[in-house]
Amino acid sequence: MADLKKPDGVQIDLISAARMDGLASMEKIRLILDGVRDGNIVILEDGLTPDEESRLIEVTMTEISPDEFNGIEIETYPRSETADASFLDRLMGRQSTNKLTVIGPANQIETLHKDETIIQTLVSRK
């Protein structure tokens, strides 16, 4: 049998808002963690709610294993709230959950710089 090797490099999974919309919170978390455990960088178009992000961190902590999984690195920044929020949302003080989120294996991703408009990340191979 031929020895199949994974291509040399880093895989980036860009997950659209449409893909995430139909999933329950735990399905989203499982989709993200499965990708990151495989060594992929996961980028979410619309990000997670604060509750989902907290749950992602909780689940990650239970799955950390020194030899297999070092955890995740997660960086998020919100998009312009005035552009995304409806008038009623702004009036009621609701914040938009639309944001870009980058998630990757803790041992492969290092945030170099982050501000309101950019996340600069260094990604290394294992």
Side-chain angles (χ1 to χ4, degrees), residues 6 8-9 32 34 41 45 47 49 54-55 58 63 68-69 72 78-79 87-89 104 114 118 123:
K6 190 173 181 180
D8 193 24
I32 293 164
D34 288 348
I41 305 301
E45 178 183 17
T49 67
S54 294
R55 186 71 182 134
E58 287 175 24
E63 294 188 12
E68 296 177 21
F69 183 57
I72 63 171
R79 292 186 182 157
F87 174 73
L88 184 58
D89 287 341
K114 175 187 167 189
I118 190 169
V123 180

Side-chain angles (χ1 to χ4, degrees), residues 20 23-26 28-29 47-58:
M20 297 296 273
L23 301 177
S25 292
M26 281 309 295
K28 292 177 187 179
I29 290 167
L48 300 170
T49 67
D51 288 341
E52 290 170 336
E53 206 166 296
S54 294
R55 186 71 182 134
L56 172 64
I57 293 167
E58 287 175 24

Side-chain angles (χ1 to χ4, degrees), residues 4-24:
L4 298 177
K5 293 175 90 176
K6 190 173 181 180
D8 193 24
V10 177
Q11 179 175 319
I12 299 175
D13 297 338
L14 305 167
I15 303 177
S16 71
R19 169 83 163 102
M20 297 296 273
D21 280 346
L23 301 177

Side-chain angles (χ1 to χ4, degrees), residues 11-13 15 31-32 35-36 40-44 101-104:
Q11 179 175 319
I12 299 175
D13 297 338
I15 303 177
L31 177 70
I32 293 164
V36 173
N40 304 339
I41 305 301
V42 177
I43 299 177
L44 306 176
T101 302
V102 179
I103 307 161

Side-chain angles (χ1 to χ4, degrees), residues 33 36-37 59-60 63-72 105-106:
L33 279 180
V36 173
R37 286 185 72 107
V59 172
T60 300
E63 294 188 12
I64 290 177
S65 168
D67 296 332
E68 296 177 21
F69 183 57
N70 293 326
I72 63 171

Side-chain angles (χ1 to χ4, degrees), residues 12-17 20 32 41-49 53 73-81 84 96-103 111 113-121:
I12 299 175
D13 297 338
L14 305 167
I15 303 177
S16 71
M20 297 296 273
I32 293 164
I41 305 301
V42 177
I43 299 177
L44 306 176
E45 178 183 17
D46 267 359
L48 300 170
T49 67
E53 206 166 296
E73 181 72 29
I74 182 169
E75 288 295 341
T76 301
Y77 68 89
R79 292 186 182 157
S80 169
E81 290 186 25
D84 290 339
S96 171
T97 59
N98 290 342
K99 53 192 165 188
L100 183 71
T101 302
V102 179
I103 307 161
T111 300
H113 174 78
K114 175 187 167 189
D115 65 31
E116 308 83 42
T117 60
I118 190 169
I119 297 173
Q120 292 178 329
T121 301

